[in-house]
Amino acid sequence: MAKTGTVKIAPSILSADFGCLAEEIRKIEKDADFLHIDVMDGHYVPNISFGVPIVCSIRPRTDLLFDVHLMITNPLDFIEPFAVAGADYITVHIETVDDPAEAIRLIHSYGKKAGLSIHPDTDIESVFPYLLQADLILIMSVYPGFGGQSFLKEAPERIHIIRSKLDEIGSEALLSVDGGISEQTAPLAVAAGATLLVTGKAVFGALDPVEMIRRLKACDG
Ligand code: DX5
Ligand code: ZN
């Protein structure tokens, strides 16, 4: 389990009102640790969200760290544009790159932190060779593509496997969990070893998003 008081929260703008995105971000920026930005291409996942122009537009509006999650087929073609647009962390799916080590090196070459994400159906051990090199491991706890889905019951065991391996090798990479995080499921993810919780609907769908972030942060004790 991660140390008490260390869980960080990354609200996903996928569940925000795009018509007033700057205002939505303002609501949560003092309490959130990262802003999670879900980029979908309608190919790797069956949904289209937004791309580089949105990142450019919101970059001057907040100092939050941008945690860009690329759910796209050719992520290497877009590392530079997202880096230039102002991403701080860029995460690619391990299933979408031939050589994950090369992808991490490319992200690092732009001075950005590199994340590797893993689909629920992918063998969890496939990320083991990259744990020392990556700055963030993102475990999908839903099938990627849509906000508001239910947390998969297999997720805690997968989080625990990665937590154990990270601890074994002495990696301080963030262990992020994405999908279906709520007051009910956050304690399961944190108990299994997550240090970063991505949350869309629970925060942006809440009457009081700030209060929800505080409750989610309190779930580690
Ligand atoms: C799903 C996205 C998630 C999503 C999480 O493909 O990667 O980041 O926005 O949303 P919730 O918290 O609503 O499941
Ligand atoms: Zn995401």
Side-chain angles (χ1 to χ4, degrees), residues 19-109:
C20 50
L21 202 42
E23 177 57 31
E24 292 275 82
I25 295 167
R26 206 169 304 129
K27 282 183 199 165
I28 53 90
E29 69 179 345
K30 285 196 177 61
D31 296 84
D33 300 286
F34 294 83
L35 194 68
H36 188 81
I37 299 174
D38 284 309
V39 178
M40 303 179 181
D41 65 354
H43 189 261
Y44 176 62
V45 290
N47 195 10
I48 296 173
S49 57
F50 44 73
V52 172
I54 292 289
V55 178
C56 290
S57 296
I58 61 177
R59 183 64 285 178
R61 304 301 192 106
T62 179
D63 291 330
L64 275 171
L65 291 168
F66 281 5
D67 169 28
V68 174
H69 178 191
L70 297 181
M71 287 166 276
I72 62 178
T73 300
N74 299 312
L76 300 193
D77 294 346
F78 294 92
I79 302 302
E80 181 175 8
F82 280 106
V84 171
D88 296 288
Y89 283 72
I90 300 176
T91 294
V92 301
H93 270 260
I94 192 163
E95 305 83 11
T96 62
V97 288
D98 292 332
D99 183 348
E102 181 205 349
I104 293 170
R105 275 195 299 274
L106 180 63
I107 296 167
H108 283 162
S109 76

Coordinates of all heavy atoms in Angstrom, one line a residue, residues 19-109:
G19 N -18.1 23.6 -23.0 CA -18.6 24.9 -23.4 C -18.0 26.0 -22.4 O -18.1 27.2 -22.8
C20 N -17.6 25.5 -21.3 CA -17.0 26.5 -20.3 C -15.8 25.8 -19.6 O -15.7 25.8 -18.4 CB -18.0 27.0 -19.4 SG -19.0 25.8 -18.5
L21 N -14.9 25.3 -20.4 CA -13.8 24.5 -19.9 C -12.9 25.3 -19.0 O -12.5 24.8 -17.9 CB -13.0 24.0 -21.1 CG -12.1 22.8 -21.0 CD1 -12.8 21.7 -20.2 CD2 -11.7 22.3 -22.3
A22 N -12.6 26.5 -19.3 CA -11.7 27.3 -18.4 C -12.3 27.5 -17.0 O -11.7 27.3 -16.0 CB -11.4 28.7 -19.0
E23 N -13.6 27.7 -17.0 CA -14.4 27.8 -15.7 C -14.4 26.5 -15.0 O -14.2 26.5 -13.7 CB -15.8 28.3 -16.0 CG -16.7 28.4 -14.8 CD -16.1 29.4 -13.8 OE1 -15.4 30.3 -14.1 OE2 -16.4 29.1 -12.6
E24 N -14.6 25.4 -15.7 CA -14.6 24.1 -15.0 C -13.2 23.8 -14.4 O -13.1 23.3 -13.3 CB -14.9 23.0 -16.1 CG -16.3 23.0 -16.7 CD -17.2 22.3 -15.8 OE1 -17.7 22.9 -14.8 OE2 -17.5 21.1 -16.1
I25 N -12.1 24.2 -15.1 CA -10.8 23.9 -14.6 C -10.5 24.8 -13.4 O -10.0 24.4 -12.4 CB -9.7 24.2 -15.7 CG1 -9.9 23.2 -16.8 CG2 -8.3 24.2 -15.1 CD1 -9.1 23.5 -18.1
R26 N -11.0 26.1 -13.4 CA -10.8 27.0 -12.3 C -11.4 26.4 -11.0 O -10.9 26.6 -9.9 CB -11.5 28.3 -12.6 CG -10.8 29.5 -11.9 CD -11.3 30.9 -12.4 NE -11.0 31.0 -13.9 CZ -11.9 31.4 -14.8 NH1 -13.2 31.6 -14.4 NH2 -11.6 31.5 -16.1
K27 N -12.6 25.7 -11.2 CA -13.3 25.2 -10.0 C -12.4 24.2 -9.2 O -12.5 24.1 -8.0 CB -14.5 24.4 -10.4 CG -15.7 25.1 -10.8 CD -16.8 24.1 -11.1 CE -17.9 24.8 -11.9 NZ -18.8 23.8 -12.5
I28 N -11.5 23.5 -9.9 CA -10.8 22.4 -9.2 C -9.3 22.6 -9.1 O -8.6 21.8 -8.5 CB -11.1 21.0 -10.0 CG1 -10.7 21.1 -11.5 CG2 -12.5 20.6 -9.8 CD1 -9.4 20.8 -11.9
E29 N -8.8 23.7 -9.7 CA -7.3 23.8 -9.8 C -6.6 23.9 -8.5 O -5.4 23.5 -8.4 CB -6.9 24.9 -10.8 CG -7.2 26.3 -10.4 CD -6.7 27.2 -11.4 OE1 -6.0 26.9 -12.3 OE2 -7.1 28.4 -11.4
K30 N -7.2 24.5 -7.5 CA -6.5 24.6 -6.2 C -6.4 23.3 -5.4 O -5.5 23.2 -4.6 CB -7.2 25.7 -5.3 CG -7.0 27.1 -5.8 CD -7.4 28.1 -4.6 CE -7.2 29.5 -5.1 NZ -7.9 29.9 -6.3
D31 N -7.3 22.4 -5.7 CA -7.3 21.1 -4.9 C -6.8 19.9 -5.7 O -6.3 19.0 -5.1 CB -8.7 20.9 -4.4 CG -9.2 22.0 -3.5 OD1 -9.6 23.0 -4.0 OD2 -9.0 21.8 -2.3
A32 N -6.9 20.0 -7.0 CA -6.4 18.9 -7.9 C -4.8 19.0 -7.9 O -4.2 20.0 -7.7 CB -6.9 19.0 -9.3
D33 N -4.2 17.8 -8.2 CA -2.8 17.8 -8.4 C -2.3 17.8 -9.8 O -1.3 18.3 -10.2 CB -2.2 16.5 -7.7 CG -2.6 16.4 -6.3 OD1 -1.9 17.2 -5.5 OD2 -3.5 15.7 -5.9
F34 N -3.2 17.2 -10.7 CA -2.9 17.2 -12.1 C -4.2 17.4 -12.9 O -5.3 17.3 -12.3 CB -2.5 15.8 -12.6 CG -1.2 15.3 -12.1 CD1 -1.0 14.7 -10.8 CD2 0.0 15.4 -12.8 CE1 0.2 14.3 -10.3 CE2 1.2 15.0 -12.4 CZ 1.3 14.4 -11.1
L35 N -4.2 17.8 -14.1 CA -5.3 17.8 -15.0 C -5.2 16.7 -16.0 O -4.2 16.7 -16.7 CB -5.5 19.2 -15.7 CG -6.9 19.4 -16.3 CD1 -7.9 19.5 -15.3 CD2 -6.8 20.6 -17.2
H36 N -6.1 15.7 -16.0 CA -6.0 14.6 -16.9 C -6.7 14.9 -18.2 O -7.9 15.4 -18.2 CB -6.6 13.4 -16.2 CG -6.4 12.1 -16.9 ND1 -5.3 11.3 -16.8 CD2 -7.2 11.4 -17.8 CE1 -5.4 10.2 -17.6 NE2 -6.6 10.3 -18.2
I37 N -6.0 14.7 -19.3 CA -6.5 15.1 -20.6 C -6.6 13.9 -21.5 O -5.5 13.4 -21.9 CB -5.6 16.2 -21.2 CG1 -5.6 17.4 -20.2 CG2 -5.9 16.6 -22.6 CD1 -4.6 18.5 -20.6
D38 N -7.8 13.4 -21.8 CA -8.0 12.2 -22.5 C -8.1 12.4 -24.0 O -9.1 13.0 -24.5 CB -9.3 11.5 -22.0 CG -9.1 10.8 -20.7 OD1 -8.1 10.1 -20.5 OD2 -9.9 11.1 -19.8
V39 N -7.1 12.0 -24.7 CA -7.1 12.2 -26.2 C -7.5 10.9 -26.9 O -6.8 9.9 -26.7 CB -5.7 12.7 -26.7 CG1 -5.7 12.9 -28.2 CG2 -5.3 14.0 -26.0
M40 N -8.6 10.9 -27.6 CA -9.1 9.7 -28.3 C -9.3 10.0 -29.8 O -9.8 11.0 -30.2 CB -10.5 9.4 -27.7 CG -10.5 9.2 -26.2 SD -12.2 8.8 -25.6 CE -11.9 8.7 -23.9
D41 N -8.9 8.9 -30.6 CA -8.9 9.1 -32.0 C -10.0 8.4 -32.8 O -10.0 8.4 -34.0 CB -7.5 8.7 -32.5 CG -7.3 7.2 -32.4 OD1 -8.1 6.5 -31.7 OD2 -6.3 6.7 -32.9
G42 N -10.9 7.7 -32.1 CA -12.0 7.0 -32.8 C -11.4 5.8 -33.5 O -12.1 5.2 -34.4
H43 N -10.2 5.4 -33.2 CA -9.6 4.3 -33.9 C -9.0 3.3 -32.9 O -9.4 2.1 -32.8 CB -8.5 4.8 -34.8 CG -7.9 3.7 -35.7 ND1 -6.7 3.0 -35.4 CD2 -8.4 3.2 -36.9 CE1 -6.5 2.1 -36.4 NE2 -7.5 2.2 -37.3
Y44 N -8.1 3.7 -32.0 CA -7.6 2.9 -30.9 C -8.8 2.6 -29.9 O -8.9 1.6 -29.4 CB -6.4 3.5 -30.2 CG -6.0 2.6 -29.0 CD1 -5.6 1.3 -29.2 CD2 -6.1 3.1 -27.7 CE1 -5.3 0.5 -28.1 CE2 -5.7 2.3 -26.6 CZ -5.3 1.0 -26.8 OH -5.0 0.2 -25.8
V45 N -9.6 3.7 -29.8 CA -10.8 3.5 -28.9 C -12.0 4.0 -29.7 O -11.9 4.8 -30.6 CB -10.7 4.4 -27.6 CG1 -9.7 3.8 -26.7 CG2 -10.4 5.8 -27.9
P46 N -13.2 3.5 -29.4 CA -14.4 3.8 -30.2 C -15.0 5.1 -29.9 O -16.2 5.2 -29.6 CB -15.3 2.6 -30.0 CG -14.9 2.2 -28.6 CD -13.5 2.5 -28.4
N47 N -14.2 6.2 -29.7 CA -14.7 7.5 -29.4 C -13.7 8.5 -29.8 O -12.5 8.2 -29.9 CB -15.0 7.5 -27.9 CG -15.8 8.7 -27.4 OD1 -16.5 9.4 -28.3 ND2 -15.9 9.0 -26.1
I48 N -14.2 9.7 -30.1 CA -13.3 10.9 -30.4 C -13.5 11.9 -29.3 O -14.7 12.2 -29.0 CB -13.7 11.4 -31.8 CG1 -13.4 10.4 -32.9 CG2 -12.9 12.7 -32.1 CD1 -13.9 10.8 -34.3
S49 N -12.4 12.5 -28.8 CA -12.6 13.5 -27.8 C -12.1 14.8 -28.3 O -12.8 15.6 -28.9 CB -11.9 13.1 -26.5 OG -10.5 12.9 -26.7
F50 N -10.8 15.1 -28.2 CA -10.2 16.4 -28.6 C -8.7 16.1 -28.8 O -8.2 15.1 -28.5 CB -10.5 17.5 -27.6 CG -10.3 17.0 -26.2 CD1 -9.0 16.8 -25.7 CD2 -11.4 16.8 -25.4 CE1 -8.8 16.4 -24.4 CE2 -11.2 16.3 -24.1 CZ -9.9 16.1 -23.6
G51 N -8.0 17.2 -29.3 CA -6.6 17.0 -29.6 C -5.8 18.2 -29.2 O -6.1 18.9 -28.2
V52 N -4.7 18.4 -29.9 CA -3.7 19.5 -29.5 C -4.3 20.9 -29.3 O -3.9 21.6 -28.4 CB -2.6 19.5 -30.6 CG1 -1.7 20.7 -30.4 CG2 -1.8 18.2 -30.6
P53 N -5.3 21.3 -30.2 CA -5.7 22.7 -30.0 C -6.4 23.0 -28.6 O -6.2 24.1 -28.1 CB -6.8 22.9 -31.1 CG -6.4 21.9 -32.2 CD -5.8 20.7 -31.4
I54 N -7.0 22.0 -28.1 CA -7.6 22.1 -26.8 C -6.5 22.3 -25.7 O -6.6 23.2 -24.8 CB -8.5 20.9 -26.4 CG1 -9.7 20.9 -27.3 CG2 -8.9 21.0 -24.9 CD1 -10.8 22.0 -27.1
V55 N -5.5 21.5 -25.8 CA -4.4 21.7 -24.9 C -3.7 23.1 -25.0 O -3.5 23.7 -24.0 CB -3.3 20.6 -25.1 CG1 -2.1 20.7 -24.1 CG2 -3.9 19.2 -24.9
C56 N -3.5 23.5 -26.2 CA -3.0 24.9 -26.4 C -3.9 25.9 -25.8 O -3.5 26.9 -25.2 CB -2.9 25.2 -27.9 SG -1.6 24.3 -28.8
S57 N -5.2 25.7 -25.9 CA -6.2 26.8 -25.4 C -6.2 26.8 -23.9 O -6.4 27.9 -23.4 CB -7.6 26.5 -25.9 OG -7.7 26.5 -27.3
I58 N -6.1 25.7 -23.3 CA -6.2 25.7 -21.8 C -4.9 25.9 -21.1 O -4.9 26.3 -19.9 CB -7.0 24.5 -21.2 CG1 -6.2 23.2 -21.6 CG2 -8.4 24.4 -21.7 CD1 -6.8 21.9 -21.0
R59 N -3.8 25.7 -21.8 CA -2.5 25.9 -21.2 C -2.3 27.2 -20.5 O -1.8 27.3 -19.4 CB -1.3 25.6 -22.2 CG 0.1 25.6 -21.7 CD 0.4 24.5 -20.7 NE -0.1 24.7 -19.3 CZ 0.0 23.8 -18.3 NH1 0.7 22.7 -18.5 NH2 -0.5 24.1 -17.1
P60 N -2.7 28.3 -21.1 CA -2.4 29.6 -20.5 C -3.4 29.9 -19.3 O -3.3 30.8 -18.6 CB -2.7 30.7 -21.6 CG -2.9 29.9 -22.8 CD -3.2 28.5 -22.5
R61 N -4.4 29.0 -19.2 CA -5.5 29.3 -18.2 C -5.2 28.7 -16.8 O -6.0 28.9 -15.9 CB -6.8 28.7 -18.7 CG -7.3 29.2 -20.0 CD -7.4 30.7 -20.0 NE -8.1 31.2 -21.2 CZ -9.4 31.6 -21.2 NH1 -10.1 31.6 -20.1 NH2 -9.9 32.0 -22.3
T62 N -4.2 27.8 -16.7 CA -4.0 27.2 -15.4 C -2.5 26.7 -15.3 O -1.8 26.5 -16.3 CB -4.9 25.9 -15.3 OG1 -4.6 25.3 -14.0 CG2 -4.7 24.9 -16.4
D63 N -2.1 26.7 -14.0 CA -0.7 26.2 -13.8 C -0.7 24.7 -13.4 O 0.3 24.1 -13.1 CB -0.1 26.9 -12.6 CG 0.2 28.4 -12.9 OD1 0.5 28.6 -14.1 OD2 0.2 29.2 -12.0
L64 N -1.9 24.0 -13.4 CA -1.9 22.6 -13.1 C -1.0 21.8 -14.1 O -0.9 22.2 -15.3 CB -3.4 22.1 -13.3 CG -4.3 22.2 -12.1 CD1 -5.7 21.8 -12.5 CD2 -3.8 21.3 -10.9
L65 N -0.4 20.7 -13.5 CA 0.3 19.8 -14.4 C -0.6 19.1 -15.4 O -1.7 18.6 -14.9 CB 1.1 18.8 -13.6 CG 2.2 19.4 -12.7 CD1 2.7 18.3 -11.7 CD2 3.4 19.8 -13.6
F66 N -0.3 19.1 -16.6 CA -1.1 18.4 -17.6 C -0.6 17.0 -17.8 O 0.5 16.7 -18.2 CB -1.0 19.2 -19.0 CG -1.9 20.4 -19.0 CD1 -2.6 20.9 -18.0 CD2 -2.0 21.1 -20.2 CE1 -3.4 22.0 -18.0 CE2 -2.8 22.2 -20.3 CZ -3.4 22.7 -19.2
D67 N -1.5 16.1 -17.5 CA -1.3 14.6 -17.6 C -2.1 14.1 -18.9 O -3.3 13.9 -18.8 CB -1.9 14.0 -16.3 CG -2.0 12.5 -16.3 OD1 -1.2 11.9 -17.0 OD2 -2.9 12.0 -15.5
V68 N -1.4 14.1 -20.0 CA -2.0 13.8 -21.3 C -2.0 12.3 -21.6 O -0.9 11.7 -21.6 CB -1.3 14.6 -22.4 CG1 -1.9 14.2 -23.8 CG2 -1.5 16.1 -22.2
H69 N -3.2 11.7 -21.7 CA -3.4 10.3 -21.9 C -3.8 10.1 -23.3 O -4.9 10.4 -23.8 CB -4.5 9.8 -20.9 CG -4.8 8.4 -21.0 ND1 -6.0 7.9 -20.4 CD2 -4.2 7.4 -21.7 CE1 -6.0 6.6 -20.6 NE2 -5.0 6.2 -21.4
L70 N -2.8 9.5 -24.1 CA -3.1 9.4 -25.5 C -3.7 8.0 -25.8 O -3.0 7.0 -25.7 CB -1.7 9.5 -26.3 CG -1.1 10.9 -26.2 CD1 0.2 10.9 -27.1 CD2 -2.0 12.0 -26.7
M71 N -4.9 8.0 -26.2 CA -5.6 6.7 -26.6 C -5.8 6.8 -28.1 O -6.9 7.0 -28.6 CB -7.0 6.6 -25.9 CG -6.8 6.3 -24.4 SD -8.3 6.5 -23.4 CE -8.2 8.3 -23.1
I72 N -4.6 6.7 -28.8 CA -4.6 6.9 -30.2 C -3.6 5.9 -30.8 O -2.7 5.3 -30.2 CB -4.1 8.3 -30.6 CG1 -2.7 8.6 -30.1 CG2 -5.1 9.4 -30.0 CD1 -2.2 10.0 -30.5
T73 N -3.9 5.6 -32.1 CA -3.1 4.5 -32.8 C -1.7 4.8 -33.0 O -0.8 3.9 -32.9 CB -3.9 4.1 -34.1 OG1 -5.2 3.7 -33.7 CG2 -3.2 3.0 -34.8
N74 N -1.4 6.1 -33.4 CA 0.0 6.4 -33.7 C 0.6 7.5 -32.8 O 0.9 8.6 -33.2 CB 0.1 7.0 -35.2 CG -0.4 6.0 -36.2 OD1 0.0 4.8 -36.2 ND2 -1.3 6.4 -37.1
P75 N 0.7 7.1 -31.5 CA 1.1 8.2 -30.5 C 2.4 8.8 -30.8 O 2.6 10.0 -30.5 CB 1.1 7.4 -29.2 CG 1.3 6.0 -29.6 CD 0.6 5.8 -30.9
L76 N 3.4 8.1 -31.4 CA 4.7 8.7 -31.6 C 4.7 9.9 -32.6 O 5.5 10.8 -32.5 CB 5.7 7.7 -32.2 CG 6.0 6.4 -31.3 CD1 7.2 5.7 -31.8 CD2 6.1 6.8 -29.8
D77 N 3.6 9.9 -33.5 CA 3.5 11.1 -34.4 C 3.0 12.3 -33.6 O 3.1 13.4 -34.2 CB 2.5 10.8 -35.5 CG 2.9 9.6 -36.4 OD1 4.1 9.3 -36.3 OD2 2.1 9.1 -37.1
F78 N 2.6 12.2 -32.4 CA 2.0 13.3 -31.7 C 2.7 13.7 -30.4 O 2.2 14.6 -29.7 CB 0.5 13.0 -31.4 CG -0.3 12.9 -32.7 CD1 -0.5 11.7 -33.3 CD2 -0.9 14.0 -33.3 CE1 -1.2 11.6 -34.5 CE2 -1.6 14.0 -34.5 CZ -1.7 12.7 -35.1
I79 N 3.8 13.1 -30.2 CA 4.5 13.4 -28.9 C 5.0 14.9 -29.0 O 4.8 15.7 -28.1 CB 5.8 12.5 -28.7 CG1 5.3 11.0 -28.6 CG2 6.6 13.0 -27.5 CD1 4.4 10.7 -27.6
E80 N 5.6 15.3 -30.1 CA 6.1 16.6 -30.3 C 5.0 17.7 -30.2 O 5.1 18.6 -29.4 CB 6.9 16.8 -31.6 CG 7.4 18.2 -31.7 CD 8.3 18.4 -32.9 OE1 8.4 17.5 -33.8 OE2 8.9 19.5 -33.0
P81 N 3.9 17.5 -31.0 CA 2.8 18.5 -30.9 C 2.2 18.7 -29.4 O 2.0 19.8 -29.0 CB 1.7 18.0 -31.8 CG 2.4 17.1 -32.8 CD 3.6 16.5 -32.0
F82 N 2.1 17.5 -28.7 CA 1.6 17.7 -27.4 C 2.6 18.2 -26.4 O 2.3 19.0 -25.5 CB 1.0 16.3 -26.8 CG -0.4 16.0 -27.4 CD1 -0.6 15.1 -28.3 CD2 -1.5 16.7 -26.9 CE1 -1.8 14.8 -28.8 CE2 -2.8 16.5 -27.4 CZ -2.9 15.5 -28.4
A83 N 3.9 17.9 -26.7 CA 4.9 18.5 -25.8 C 5.0 20.0 -26.0 O 5.0 20.8 -25.0 CB 6.3 17.9 -26.2
V84 N 4.9 20.4 -27.3 CA 5.0 21.9 -27.6 C 3.7 22.6 -27.0 O 3.8 23.7 -26.6 CB 5.1 22.1 -29.1 CG1 4.9 23.6 -29.5 CG2 6.5 21.6 -29.6
A85 N 2.6 21.9 -27.1 CA 1.3 22.5 -26.6 C 1.3 22.7 -25.1 O 0.5 23.4 -24.6 CB 0.1 21.6 -27.0
G86 N 2.2 22.0 -24.4 CA 2.3 22.3 -22.9 C 2.0 21.1 -22.0 O 1.8 21.3 -20.8
A87 N 2.0 19.9 -22.6 CA 1.9 18.7 -21.7 C 3.0 18.6 -20.7 O 4.2 19.0 -21.1 CB 1.8 17.4 -22.6
D88 N 2.8 18.1 -19.5 CA 3.9 17.8 -18.6 C 4.2 16.3 -18.5 O 5.4 16.0 -18.5 CB 3.4 18.3 -17.2 CG 3.3 19.8 -17.2 OD1 4.3 20.5 -17.3 OD2 2.1 20.3 -17.2
Y89 N 3.2 15.5 -18.5 CA 3.3 14.1 -18.6 C 2.6 13.7 -19.9 O 1.5 14.1 -20.2 CB 2.6 13.3 -17.4 CG 3.3 13.4 -16.1 CD1 3.4 14.5 -15.4 CD2 3.9 12.2 -15.6 CE1 4.1 14.6 -14.2 CE2 4.6 12.2 -14.4 CZ 4.7 13.4 -13.7 OH 5.4 13.4 -12.5
I90 N 3.2 12.8 -20.6 CA 2.6 12.2 -21.8 C 2.6 10.7 -21.7 O 3.7 10.1 -21.5 CB 3.3 12.6 -23.1 CG1 3.3 14.2 -23.3 CG2 2.6 12.0 -24.3 CD1 4.1 14.7 -24.5
T91 N 1.4 10.1 -21.7 CA 1.2 8.7 -21.5 C 0.8 8.0 -22.8 O -0.2 8.5 -23.4 CB 0.2 8.4 -20.4 OG1 0.8 8.9 -19.2 CG2 -0.1 6.9 -20.3
V92 N 1.4 7.0 -23.2 CA 1.0 6.2 -24.4 C 0.6 4.8 -24.0 O 1.1 4.3 -22.9 CB 2.1 6.1 -25.5 CG1 2.6 7.5 -25.9 CG2 3.3 5.3 -24.9
H93 N -0.3 4.2 -24.7 CA -0.7 2.8 -24.4 C 0.4 1.9 -24.9 O 0.8 2.0 -26.1 CB -2.0 2.5 -25.0 CG -3.1 2.8 -24.1 ND1 -3.8 1.8 -23.4 CD2 -3.7 4.0 -23.8 CE1 -4.7 2.4 -22.6 NE2 -4.7 3.7 -22.8
I94 N 0.8 0.9 -24.1 CA 1.8 0.0 -24.5 C 1.4 -0.8 -25.7 O 2.2 -1.3 -26.5 CB 2.2 -1.0 -23.3 CG1 3.4 -1.8 -23.6 CG2 1.0 -1.9 -22.9 CD1 4.1 -2.4 -22.3
E95 N 0.1 -1.0 -25.9 CA -0.4 -1.8 -27.0 C -0.2 -1.0 -28.4 O -0.4 -1.6 -29.4 CB -1.9 -2.1 -26.9 CG -2.3 -2.8 -25.6 CD -2.5 -1.8 -24.4 OE1 -2.5 -0.6 -24.6 OE2 -2.6 -2.3 -23.2
T96 N 0.0 0.3 -28.3 CA 0.1 1.1 -29.5 C 1.5 1.4 -30.0 O 1.6 2.1 -31.0 CB -0.7 2.5 -29.3 OG1 0.0 3.2 -28.3 CG2 -2.1 2.2 -28.9
V97 N 2.5 0.9 -29.3 CA 3.9 1.2 -29.7 C 4.6 -0.1 -29.9 O 4.5 -1.1 -29.1 CB 4.6 2.1 -28.7 CG1 4.0 3.5 -28.8 CG2 4.5 1.6 -27.3
D98 N 5.5 -0.2 -30.9 CA 6.3 -1.4 -31.2 C 7.4 -1.5 -30.1 O 7.7 -2.6 -29.7 CB 6.9 -1.3 -32.5 CG 5.9 -1.4 -33.6 OD1 4.9 -2.1 -33.4 OD2 6.2 -0.9 -34.7
D99 N 7.9 -0.4 -29.7 CA 9.0 -0.3 -28.8 C 8.8 0.7 -27.7 O 9.1 1.9 -27.8 CB 10.3 0.0 -29.6 CG 11.6 0.0 -28.7 OD1 11.4 -0.1 -27.4 OD2 12.7 0.1 -29.2
P100 N 8.2 0.2 -26.6 CA 7.8 1.1 -25.5 C 9.0 1.9 -25.0 O 8.9 3.1 -24.6 CB 7.3 0.2 -24.4 CG 6.7 -1.0 -25.1 CD 7.7 -1.2 -26.3
A101 N 10.2 1.3 -24.9 CA 11.4 2.0 -24.4 C 11.7 3.2 -25.3 O 12.1 4.3 -24.9 CB 12.6 1.0 -24.4
E102 N 11.6 3.0 -26.6 CA 11.8 4.1 -27.6 C 10.8 5.2 -27.4 O 11.1 6.4 -27.4 CB 11.7 3.6 -29.0 CG 12.0 4.6 -30.1 CD 11.3 4.2 -31.4 OE1 10.8 3.1 -31.6 OE2 11.3 5.1 -32.3
A103 N 9.6 4.8 -27.1 CA 8.5 5.8 -26.9 C 8.8 6.7 -25.7 O 8.7 7.9 -25.7 CB 7.1 5.2 -26.7
I104 N 9.3 6.0 -24.6 CA 9.6 6.7 -23.4 C 10.8 7.7 -23.6 O 10.8 8.8 -23.2 CB 9.9 5.7 -22.3 CG1 8.7 5.0 -21.9 CG2 10.5 6.4 -21.0 CD1 8.9 3.8 -20.9
R105 N 11.8 7.2 -24.4 CA 13.0 8.0 -24.7 C 12.5 9.3 -25.5 O 13.0 10.4 -25.3 CB 14.0 7.2 -25.5 CG 15.0 6.4 -24.6 CD 16.2 5.9 -25.4 NE 15.8 5.1 -26.5 CZ 15.7 3.7 -26.4 NH1 15.8 3.1 -25.2 NH2 15.3 3.0 -27.4
L106 N 11.6 9.0 -26.4 CA 11.2 10.2 -27.3 C 10.5 11.2 -26.4 O 10.7 12.4 -26.5 CB 10.2 9.7 -28.4 CG 9.7 10.7 -29.3 CD1 10.8 11.4 -30.1 CD2 8.6 10.1 -30.3
I107 N 9.6 10.8 -25.5 CA 8.9 11.7 -24.6 C 9.9 12.5 -23.8 O 9.9 13.7 -23.6 CB 7.9 11.0 -23.8 CG1 6.8 10.4 -24.6 CG2 7.3 11.9 -22.7 CD1 5.9 9.4 -23.9
H108 N 10.9 11.7 -23.2 CA 11.9 12.4 -22.4 C 12.8 13.4 -23.2 O 13.2 14.4 -22.7 CB 12.9 11.3 -21.8 CG 12.3 10.5 -20.6 ND1 12.7 9.3 -20.2 CD2 11.2 10.9 -19.8 CE1 12.0 8.9 -19.1 NE2 11.1 9.8 -18.9
S109 N 12.9 13.1 -24.5 CA 13.8 14.0 -25.3 C 13.2 15.4 -25.4 O 13.9 16.3 -25.8 CB 14.0 13.4 -26.7 OG 12.9 13.5 -27.5

